[in-house]
Amino acid sequence: MTVSMEENSKIQMLSATSKDKKVATDRSLLNKYHLGPLALHTGLVLSCVTYALGGAYLFLSIEHPEELKRREKAIREFQDLKQQFMGNITSGIENSEQSIEIYTKKLILMLEDAHNAHAFEYFFLNHEIPKDMWTFSSALVFTTTTVIPVGYGYIFPVSAYGRMCLIAYALLGIPLTLVTMADTGKFAAQLVTRWFGDNNMAIPAAIFVCLLFAYPLVVGFILCSTSNITYLDSVYFSLTSIFTIGFGDLTPDMNVIHMVLFLAVGVILVTITLDIVAAEMIDRVHYMGRHVGKAKELAGKMFQLAQSLNMKQGLVSGVGQLHALARFGMLVGREEVDKTQEDGIIAFSPDVMDGLEFMDTLSIYSRRSRRSAENSARNLFLS
Amino acid sequence: MHPRGKFLAGHLSAFCITPTTTALISRNHSDWAHLQLLRRTPSSDAGNMNQIHFGTASARRRNAMILENNSGDEDAPKQGFLANLRLALFHLVLIFATVAYIIAGAYLFTKIEHQAELDRYQSYHTIYRNFINNLYQSSNRSVADVENLIDTFTSINFRAFKEGLKPTDFLVPQETSRWSMISAIFFTTTVLTSIGYGNLIPISTGGKIFCVGYAIFGIPLTLVTIADLAKFVADMLIMDPTEDPKTGRQLLVLVFLLGYMTISACVYTILEPMWSFLDSFYFCLVSLLTVGFGDLHPVGTVEYMLCSIVFIFIGLILTTLAVDVSGSVGIAKMHSIGRGFDAMKMLNALRVRKSEFVAKGAVSLSAAARVAGRRLDGQQPHQPRWFAYVPKDALTIPYIDESANVSSRTTTTTHTSI
């Protein structure tokens, strides 16, 4: 096969153009290093990245004009409110306390809107031109925290069209991202399982649980060293992020790429740990209280089914199923055996066994002269 | 092969008549650890042998099988009450534990954060009163001084707002508190379900530390409870466990989830005066997918908040169900594409139900063989050689069946046919 492949490649090189040569080289390279599956999984990751970047651009183009309009409106409203308050105070002093109360309530009501609060903070408190809430980096954080369902809520779409896009974007993006992270997690779990032995799942489970507890602490330390947040707040932020709670009460100064990587790795770690530790727990919990009755009932039915088969095949099969037999217990089998004897089902076997014996004897002589490979297989089976 | 497959389908359908068998089969299907064990033992060969010989059973034995199956059904009602009690007790305890955890956490959060809230209230109340006093003296000041005073007051209000307090709370501090019991229950629910609106958050150090520990232990508990309830719904959906998961059922679950969101959105549109249908649907989607931006969140009476909590839990059960039905198959397929080893694993998963029946049948066979072993050994001293050939000789099957039906056939006829 190798020789023929080489000859084919030689012939193809002689008769092909440079483009064909490149195609042939690519194919041989793919076949040589088994890059097909790797390309698929890499493509899945790249599609997620592309989806996040595309979504960021989409939401930026939709929401940025809306933000500018709302900012101008907010600034105008705040100025009007302030002028009205000053007028009330300077004109008459008898209603000043009521004016203060009205002003305070209106102010808080306007600040409930995140856009208004953002514009107010920059324009009135810091006397600066307000920064854009919807920049490409903030939009990227938004799309990432949407498809990994963290949802800080720093920024969010406020226009009707933006919300429609978010509904479709989340419905398509969240499954894609979860599948990708689960797929990546399976690779990591498979690696650890193979490394530490797949018969004992306790060691991989312990490893992942320790990693899960260590990850927020380590990231918290990195955050508090690079930002102005305390260590407790950093750990608090890390934990609420990787568990996808995402309050959004803290806004650490973090690079967008670092934020995305931190979230992706953390959520993958949580997914792996829950998959290894909790999946079996969920199954056990769900079927708690069902094993005894149903297993016995099913075993009884299986036993009755087995009576319709030849018992000699059962003898051979049963020897190989000792471990499975232990799960049901000897008592169940014994009870069913007694019941069957009373029914007299065993009486059918001798007729069939006689016929089988004769048939088998003849087949030995007729088969042996035909194939040696089959004989060797039989010998292996006998041993 | 056709008669054999038909026989298999018939028998598997017969077994599915009893609903008690369904859940165990579902459990075996979803138990990947058991699948690993099944794959590594030589049960696959045993399964093949048994599958080959299903076709040799006579019609009389088939009828006997059905009769035995019916007699098995008659025994079920005798243990019905005890079985149901044992079945439901643990799950009810689990649900009760989750609800108790939520309520206890809410109570502790109110204790921790309410004190912190009072401390902040005192601080801002002092500043607020100072502003009032200064304002009374402003009649003698210039417009610029008044404007500076207003700016200072405004910045104080803004900082209070950022820290979660509202200056309006100063006016009637005894009657209103952000951390009421129902608010705290809503908060703990959104923490454990990892939605996290962020409208109400712990501010004090003790509150944050408690929130960290609370989430670490509470989220797995809540996930297990929701997944447990989702499996109950999945069991109800599976009518015929012998069928492989089909696209129709996946679409049915997804349509049901979207329908639930739409109905809930209509309800919220009616109950929330400020929300349009788009806002309500947006809120439902953001909640049930556990994104939880927090720009929209329900605020209202105790009954309204409790209904919102129930809405969240039911929706999450449906979402978990959709993930179980659609996502797990997708993940397995995606991971296995292009890999021979994992493809075999997937094939085993798809055939696990049939293999389960056959494997457990072999278990019962071994029990019967132990009793009958003595007779067989006495009558057939050369049985090892005899056993080795029959299961793998497909050509012999019609002959064996024919011989069983007509036992009067003579040796000469058999030799002639060969």
Side-chain angles (χ1 to χ4, degrees):
Chain A
M1 183 62 69
T2 305
V3 174
S4 62
M5 287 176 68
E6 289 178 355
E7 290 177 354
N8 288 332
S9 64
K10 287 181 179 179
I11 294 170
Q12 197 167 4
M13 287 175 68
L14 290 174
S15 63
T17 61
S18 61
K19 185 175 180 181
D20 292 335
K21 286 182 183 177
K22 187 177 180 181
V23 170
T25 305
D26 288 342
R27 287 179 182 174
S28 62
L29 191 65
L30 285 174
N31 292 328
K32 186 175 180 182
Y33 293 103
H34 302 286
L35 294 179
L38 183 62
L40 175 69
H41 299 286
T42 306
L44 197 62
V45 175
L46 288 180
S47 65
C48 274
V49 174
T50 306
Y51 193 78
L53 292 172
Y57 181 75
L58 175 71
F59 283 108
L60 181 64
S61 61
I62 292 172
E63 294 292 327
H64 188 61
E66 184 76 17
E67 179 195 0
L68 294 178
K69 288 192 289 184
R70 283 175 177 259
R71 182 195 299 169
E72 293 177 357
K73 181 182 176 184
I75 292 173
R76 188 167 55 252
E77 286 179 355
F78 278 122
Q79 287 176 337
D80 293 343
L81 184 65
K82 184 177 175 183
Q83 293 298 326
Q84 183 180 356
F85 182 48
M86 285 184 62
N88 290 335
I89 289 177
T90 53
S91 64
I93 200 66
E94 62 276 8
N95 294 327
S96 61
E97 189 156 354
Q98 185 178 358
S99 299
I100 293 169
E101 186 174 344
I102 292 171
Y103 172 74
T104 305
K105 287 184 176 178
K106 285 187 177 179
L107 184 69
I108 296 298
L109 191 64
M110 291 175 67
L111 291 176
E112 289 284 345
D113 190 327
H115 286 75
N116 292 340
H118 179 81
F120 184 85
E121 184 174 9
Y122 278 96
F123 189 83
F124 288 98
L125 298 185
N126 298 334
H127 301 289
E128 298 172 2
I129 297 174
K131 295 179 180 177
D132 291 338
M133 292 178 70
W134 284 94
T135 60
F136 187 78
S137 59
S138 63
L140 185 59
V141 170
F142 165 76
T143 52
T144 302
T145 55
T146 299
V147 293
I148 303 169
V150 184
Y152 289 125
Y154 299 144
I155 52 175
F156 45 84
V158 293
S159 63
Y161 189 52
R163 288 186 171 171
M164 290 178 193
C165 289
L166 182 85
I167 290 170
Y169 186 80
L171 279 177
L172 292 175
I174 289 179
L176 171 65
T177 306
L178 291 182
V179 166
T180 303
M181 289 196 294
D183 184 50
T184 308
K186 276 183 182 293
F187 277 108
Q190 215 170 44
L191 188 67
V192 173
T193 304
R194 286 178 180 175
W195 186 267
F196 291 99
D198 52 5
N199 288 326
N200 187 5
M201 288 301 291
I203 295 176
I207 289 170
F208 281 115
V209 170
C210 291
L211 279 177
L212 182 61
F213 276 96
Y215 190 78
L217 300 177
V218 173
V219 173
F221 179 76
I222 295 171
L223 271 177
C224 75
S225 61
T226 58
S227 180
N228 58 354
I229 309 177
T230 63
Y231 182 68
L232 174 66
D233 287 346
S234 300
V235 174
Y236 170 78
F237 172 79
S238 302
L239 200 93
T240 54
S241 298
I242 63 175
F243 277 117
T244 68
I245 302 173
F247 288 129
D249 52 338
L250 295 171
T251 55
D253 295 329
M254 184 187 271
N255 190 354
V256 174
I257 295 174
H258 295 164
M259 169 79 79
V260 172
L261 287 178
F262 152 69
L263 288 175
V265 173
V267 175
I268 288 171
L269 188 57
V270 172
T271 304
I272 295 169
T273 308
L274 289 178
D275 189 43
I276 290 177
V277 177
E280 189 174 353
M281 191 202 309
I282 291 170
D283 283 336
R284 287 181 180 175
V285 162
H286 182 63
Y287 296 107
M288 188 72 68
R290 297 186 175 196
H291 288 283
V292 178
K294 285 172 183 169
K296 183 177 178 180
E297 196 167 346
L298 189 67
K301 290 186 173 60
M302 279 301 170
F303 181 76
Q304 291 155 10
L305 175 65
Q307 293 307 301
S308 66
L309 304 175
N310 192 288
M311 291 179 65
K312 291 194 173 181
Q313 282 80 41
L315 183 62
V316 174
S317 303
V319 171
Q321 295 300 312
L322 290 177
H323 295 287
L325 178 64
R327 293 182 66 181
F328 290 91
M330 287 301 297
L331 291 178
V332 174
R334 195 167 295 168
E335 290 177 5
E336 297 300 332
V337 169
D338 295 337
K339 183 178 179 181
T340 306
Q341 283 180 343
E342 292 175 357
D343 293 339
I345 295 175
I346 298 175
F348 295 101
S349 300
D351 296 336
V352 178
M353 286 191 293
D354 292 336
L356 287 174
E357 177 184 1
F358 179 81
M359 178 65 188
D360 190 63
T361 304
L362 287 175
S363 68
I364 290 172
Y365 294 101
S366 62
R367 295 284 178 181
R368 186 166 292 179
S369 60
R370 292 183 182 180
R371 296 177 185 175
S372 60
E374 193 168 357
N375 288 328
S376 64
R378 287 201 200 96
N379 293 328
L380 183 62
F381 186 83
L382 282 171
S383 64
Chain B
M1 184 60 71
H2 176 68
R4 204 174 302 153
K6 186 176 180 180
F7 178 81
L8 269 176
H11 268 268
L12 294 177
S13 298
F15 272 97
C16 299
I17 291 171
T18 58
T20 55
T21 311
T22 305
L24 185 54
I25 294 167
S26 301
R27 175 246 180 204
N28 290 325
H29 178 67
S30 61
D31 193 347
W32 291 99
H34 181 77
L35 184 63
Q36 293 284 345
L37 179 64
L38 183 67
R39 186 164 57 85
R40 293 176 184 283
T41 55
S43 60
S44 59
D45 292 336
N48 292 332
M49 283 189 282
N50 285 280
Q51 285 179 2
I52 289 169
H53 289 277
F54 277 165
T56 62
S58 64
R60 181 173 55 187
R61 296 199 180 105
R62 211 171 294 150
N63 292 329
M65 178 62 58
I66 295 170
L67 291 175
E68 292 293 340
N69 195 9
N70 291 329
S71 66
D73 291 335
E74 291 174 358
D75 293 336
K78 295 180 180 179
Q79 300 179 351
F81 178 75
L82 187 61
N84 287 333
L85 181 63
R86 187 170 53 224
L87 181 68
L89 184 61
F90 186 83
H91 304 283
L92 291 179
V93 167
L94 188 65
I95 295 171
F96 177 77
T98 304
V99 173
Y101 192 79
I102 289 172
I103 295 175
Y107 178 75
L108 289 175
F109 271 114
T110 54
K111 288 300 176 185
I112 295 169
E113 292 296 326
H114 187 60
Q115 186 60 43
E117 188 180 11
L118 287 180
D119 294 340
R120 279 170 175 75
Y121 160 76
Q122 293 295 335
S123 173
Y124 283 105
H125 182 72
T126 303
I127 299 173
Y128 187 84
R129 283 294 157 191
N130 288 337
F131 174 76
I132 299 293
N133 294 332
N134 290 332
L135 191 65
Y136 285 144
Q137 304 170 8
S138 67
S139 58
N140 299 326
R141 298 187 181 183
S142 63
V143 175
D145 291 338
V146 171
E147 187 169 0
N148 288 332
L149 202 60
I150 291 172
D151 288 341
T152 305
F153 177 67
T154 305
S155 67
I156 291 166
N157 284 332
F158 186 79
R159 284 205 300 274
F161 171 79
K162 289 287 256 183
E163 294 192 5
L165 285 172
K166 292 186 177 181
T168 50
D169 296 333
F170 306 158
L171 305 178
V172 280
Q174 295 82 12
E175 297 176 4
T176 61
S177 175
R178 287 169 63 89
W179 286 93
S180 64
M181 193 62 189
I182 189 60
S183 301
I185 288 175
F186 191 78
F187 167 76
T188 50
T189 300
T190 55
V191 168
L192 297 182
T193 54
S194 73
I195 298 174
Y197 291 120
N199 60 311
L200 193 65
I201 50 176
I203 297 172
S204 63
T205 301
K208 287 179 177 175
I209 294 173
F210 180 69
C211 183
V212 166
Y214 187 76
I216 288 178
F217 293 108
I219 287 178
L221 171 66
T222 308
L223 286 180
V224 167
T225 306
I226 290 174
D228 185 40
L229 294 174
K231 278 185 181 295
F232 274 109
V233 181
D235 290 343
M236 286 191 287
L237 286 180
I238 296 174
M239 296 301 175
D240 189 0
T242 56
E243 290 184 4
D244 293 332
K246 291 184 177 178
T247 307
R249 186 172 301 117
Q250 297 176 17
L251 291 179
L252 179 64
V253 172
L254 290 177
V255 168
F256 195 71
L257 178 60
L258 289 178
Y260 180 77
M261 284 185 184
T262 305
I263 294 171
S264 303
C266 293
V267 173
Y268 273 111
T269 305
I270 295 169
L271 295 176
E272 290 280 352
M274 297 296 293
W275 291 5
S276 65
F277 176 77
L278 180 64
D279 292 339
S280 300
F281 193 84
Y282 168 82
F283 163 76
C284 294
L285 185 103
V286 165
S287 300
L288 297 187
L289 294 177
T290 68
V291 181
F293 289 127
D295 53 336
L296 296 174
H297 53 84
V299 176
T301 60
V302 173
E303 293 81 12
Y304 179 58
M305 300 296 282
L306 288 176
C307 290
S308 296
I309 290 169
V310 173
F311 151 74
I312 287 170
F313 271 109
I314 294 175
L316 284 179
I317 290 168
L318 291 177
T319 306
T320 306
L321 179 66
V323 169
D324 279 346
V325 172
S326 303
S328 58
V329 175
I331 291 169
K333 286 183 177 178
M334 195 66 66
H335 188 67
S336 301
I337 286 173
R339 294 167 160 236
F341 181 77
D342 289 332
M344 291 304 297
K345 179 178 176 181
M346 189 166 68
L347 288 173
N348 285 331
L350 292 173
R351 296 171 181 170
V352 66
R353 293 194 181 93
K354 296 179 180 178
S355 300
E356 282 295 325
F357 278 112
V358 174
K360 287 179 173 54
V363 172
S364 300
L365 277 170
S366 66
R370 286 170 184 274
V371 176
R374 296 173 186 176
R375 272 185 259 169
L376 294 175
D377 288 334
Q379 294 176 3
Q380 306 293 339
H382 59 280
Q383 65 180 5
R385 293 179 64 191
W386 185 91
F387 271 96
Y389 297 97
V390 174
K392 298 181 179 179
D393 291 337
L395 293 176
T396 61
I397 291 172
Y399 180 80
I400 293 169
D401 191 57
E402 189 174 4
S403 174
N405 288 330
V406 183
S407 62
S408 62
R409 187 167 294 181
T410 60
T411 305
T412 306
T413 307
T414 304
H415 184 72
T416 305
S417 64
I418 290 175

Coordinates of all heavy atoms in Angstrom, one line a residue, chain B residues 252-285:
Chain B
L252 N -39.9 18.5 19.8 CA -41.1 18.7 20.7 C -40.7 19.3 22.0 O -41.4 20.3 22.5 CB -41.7 17.3 21.0 CG -42.9 17.3 21.9 CD1 -44.1 18.0 21.3 CD2 -43.3 15.9 22.3
V253 N -39.6 18.9 22.6 CA -39.1 19.5 23.8 C -38.8 21.0 23.6 O -39.1 21.8 24.5 CB -37.9 18.7 24.4 CG1 -37.3 19.4 25.6 CG2 -38.4 17.3 24.8
L254 N -38.1 21.3 22.5 CA -37.7 22.7 22.3 C -38.9 23.6 22.1 O -39.0 24.7 22.6 CB -36.8 22.8 21.1 CG -35.4 22.2 21.3 CD1 -34.6 22.2 20.0 CD2 -34.6 22.9 22.4
V255 N -39.9 23.0 21.3 CA -41.1 23.8 21.1 C -41.9 24.0 22.4 O -42.4 25.1 22.6 CB -42.0 23.1 20.0 CG1 -43.4 23.7 20.0 CG2 -41.3 23.1 18.7
F256 N -41.9 23.0 23.2 CA -42.5 23.2 24.5 C -41.9 24.2 25.4 O -42.5 25.0 26.0 CB -42.5 21.8 25.2 CG -43.5 21.7 26.4 CD1 -44.9 21.7 26.2 CD2 -43.0 21.7 27.7 CE1 -45.7 21.7 27.2 CE2 -43.9 21.7 28.7 CZ -45.2 21.7 28.5
L257 N -40.5 24.2 25.3 CA -39.8 25.3 26.1 C -40.1 26.7 25.6 O -40.4 27.6 26.4 CB -38.3 25.0 26.0 CG -37.4 26.0 26.7 CD1 -37.7 26.0 28.2 CD2 -35.9 25.6 26.5
L258 N -40.1 26.8 24.3 CA -40.4 28.1 23.7 C -41.9 28.5 24.0 O -42.2 29.7 24.2 CB -40.1 28.1 22.2 CG -38.7 28.1 21.8 CD1 -38.5 28.0 20.3 CD2 -37.9 29.3 22.4
G259 N -42.8 27.5 23.9 CA -44.1 27.8 24.3 C -44.3 28.3 25.7 O -45.1 29.2 26.0
Y260 N -43.6 27.6 26.6 CA -43.6 28.0 28.0 C -43.1 29.5 28.2 O -43.7 30.3 28.9 CB -42.7 27.1 28.8 CG -42.7 27.4 30.3 CD1 -43.7 27.1 31.1 CD2 -41.6 28.0 30.8 CE1 -43.7 27.4 32.5 CE2 -41.5 28.3 32.2 CZ -42.6 28.0 33.0 OH -42.5 28.3 34.3
M261 N -42.0 29.8 27.4 CA -41.5 31.2 27.5 C -42.6 32.2 27.0 O -42.8 33.2 27.6 CB -40.3 31.3 26.6 CG -39.0 30.7 27.3 SD -37.6 31.1 26.2 CE -36.3 30.2 27.1
T262 N -43.2 31.8 25.9 CA -44.2 32.7 25.3 C -45.4 32.9 26.2 O -45.8 34.1 26.5 CB -44.7 32.2 24.0 OG1 -43.6 31.9 23.1 CG2 -45.6 33.1 23.3
I263 N -45.9 31.9 26.8 CA -47.0 32.0 27.8 C -46.6 32.9 29.0 O -47.3 33.8 29.4 CB -47.5 30.6 28.2 CG1 -48.1 29.9 27.0 CG2 -48.5 30.7 29.3 CD1 -48.4 28.5 27.3
S264 N -45.4 32.6 29.5 CA -44.9 33.4 30.6 C -44.7 34.8 30.3 O -45.0 35.7 31.1 CB -43.6 32.8 31.1 OG -43.8 31.4 31.5
A265 N -44.3 35.1 29.0 CA -44.1 36.4 28.6 C -45.5 37.2 28.5 O -45.6 38.3 28.9 CB -43.4 36.5 27.2
C266 N -46.5 36.5 28.1 CA -47.8 37.1 28.1 C -48.3 37.4 29.5 O -48.8 38.5 29.7 CB -48.8 36.1 27.4 SG -48.5 35.8 25.7
V267 N -48.0 36.5 30.4 CA -48.5 36.8 31.8 C -47.7 38.0 32.4 O -48.3 38.8 33.0 CB -48.2 35.5 32.7 CG1 -48.5 35.8 34.1 CG2 -49.1 34.4 32.2
Y268 N -46.4 38.0 32.1 CA -45.7 39.2 32.6 C -46.1 40.5 32.0 O -46.1 41.5 32.6 CB -44.2 38.9 32.4 CG -43.5 38.2 33.6 CD1 -43.0 36.9 33.4 CD2 -43.4 38.8 34.8 CE1 -42.4 36.2 34.4 CE2 -42.8 38.1 35.9 CZ -42.3 36.8 35.7 OH -41.8 36.1 36.7
T269 N -46.4 40.4 30.7 CA -46.9 41.6 30.0 C -48.1 42.2 30.7 O -48.3 43.4 30.9 CB -47.2 41.3 28.6 OG1 -46.1 40.7 28.0 CG2 -47.6 42.6 27.8
I270 N -49.0 41.3 31.2 CA -50.2 41.7 31.9 C -49.9 42.3 33.3 O -50.4 43.3 33.7 CB -51.2 40.5 32.0 CG1 -51.7 40.1 30.6 CG2 -52.4 40.9 32.8 CD1 -52.4 38.8 30.5
L271 N -49.0 41.6 34.0 CA -48.7 41.9 35.4 C -47.8 43.1 35.5 O -47.9 43.9 36.5 CB -48.1 40.7 36.1 CG -49.1 39.5 36.2 CD1 -48.4 38.4 36.9 CD2 -50.3 39.9 37.0
E272 N -46.9 43.3 34.6 CA -45.9 44.4 34.7 C -46.4 45.5 33.8 O -46.4 45.4 32.6 CB -44.5 44.0 34.3 CG -43.9 43.0 35.3 CD -43.3 43.8 36.5 OE1 -43.2 45.0 36.4 OE2 -42.8 43.1 37.4
P273 N -46.8 46.7 34.4 CA -47.3 47.7 33.5 C -46.3 48.3 32.6 O -46.7 48.8 31.5 CB -47.9 48.7 34.5 CG -47.1 48.5 35.7 CD -46.8 47.0 35.8
M274 N -45.0 48.3 33.0 CA -44.0 49.0 32.2 C -43.4 48.2 31.1 O -42.7 48.6 30.3 CB -42.9 49.5 33.1 CG -43.3 50.5 34.1 SD -43.9 52.0 33.4 CE -42.4 52.7 32.7
W275 N -43.8 46.9 31.1 CA -43.1 45.9 30.1 C -44.0 45.7 28.9 O -45.2 45.4 29.1 CB -42.8 44.6 30.8 CG -41.8 44.7 31.9 CD1 -41.2 45.8 32.4 CD2 -41.3 43.6 32.6 NE1 -40.3 45.4 33.4 CE2 -40.3 44.1 33.5 CE3 -41.5 42.2 32.6 CZ2 -39.6 43.3 34.4 CZ3 -40.8 41.4 33.5 CH2 -39.9 41.9 34.4
S276 N -43.4 45.7 27.8 CA -44.1 45.3 26.6 C -43.9 43.8 26.4 O -43.2 43.2 27.2 CB -43.5 46.0 25.3 OG -42.1 45.6 25.1
F277 N -44.5 43.2 25.4 CA -44.4 41.8 25.2 C -42.9 41.4 24.9 O -42.4 40.4 25.4 CB -45.3 41.3 24.1 CG -45.1 39.8 23.8 CD1 -45.6 38.9 24.6 CD2 -44.3 39.4 22.7 CE1 -45.5 37.5 24.3 CE2 -44.2 38.1 22.4 CZ -44.7 37.1 23.2
L278 N -42.3 42.3 24.1 CA -40.9 42.0 23.8 C -40.0 42.0 25.1 O -39.1 41.2 25.3 CB -40.4 43.0 22.8 CG -38.9 42.9 22.4 CD1 -38.7 41.5 21.6 CD2 -38.5 44.0 21.5
D279 N -40.3 43.0 25.9 CA -39.5 43.1 27.2 C -39.8 41.8 28.0 O -38.9 41.3 28.6 CB -39.9 44.3 28.0 CG -39.5 45.6 27.3 OD1 -38.5 45.5 26.5 OD2 -40.1 46.7 27.6
S280 N -41.0 41.4 28.1 CA -41.3 40.2 28.9 C -40.7 39.0 28.3 O -40.1 38.2 29.1 CB -42.9 40.0 28.9 OG -43.5 41.1 29.5
F281 N -40.7 38.8 27.0 CA -40.1 37.6 26.4 C -38.6 37.7 26.6 O -37.9 36.7 26.9 CB -40.4 37.5 24.9 CG -40.1 36.2 24.3 CD1 -40.9 35.1 24.4 CD2 -38.9 36.1 23.6 CE1 -40.6 33.9 23.8 CE2 -38.5 34.8 23.1 CZ -39.4 33.8 23.2
Y282 N -38.0 38.9 26.5 CA -36.6 39.1 26.7 C -36.2 38.7 28.1 O -35.2 38.1 28.4 CB -36.3 40.6 26.4 CG -35.0 41.1 26.8 CD1 -33.9 40.9 26.1 CD2 -34.9 41.8 28.0 CE1 -32.7 41.4 26.4 CE2 -33.7 42.3 28.4 CZ -32.6 42.1 27.6 OH -31.4 42.6 28.0
F283 N -37.1 39.1 29.1 CA -36.8 38.8 30.5 C -36.9 37.3 30.7 O -36.0 36.7 31.4 CB -37.8 39.5 31.4 CG -37.9 38.9 32.8 CD1 -36.9 39.2 33.7 CD2 -39.0 38.1 33.1 CE1 -37.0 38.6 35.0 CE2 -39.0 37.6 34.4 CZ -38.0 37.8 35.3
C284 N -37.9 36.6 30.1 CA -38.0 35.2 30.3 C -36.9 34.4 29.7 O -36.3 33.5 30.3 CB -39.3 34.7 29.7 SG -40.8 35.3 30.5
L285 N -36.4 34.9 28.5 CA -35.3 34.2 27.9 C -34.0 34.4 28.7 O -33.3 33.4 28.9 CB -35.1 34.7 26.5 CG -34.1 34.0 25.7 CD1 -34.7 33.0 24.7 CD2 -33.1 34.9 24.9

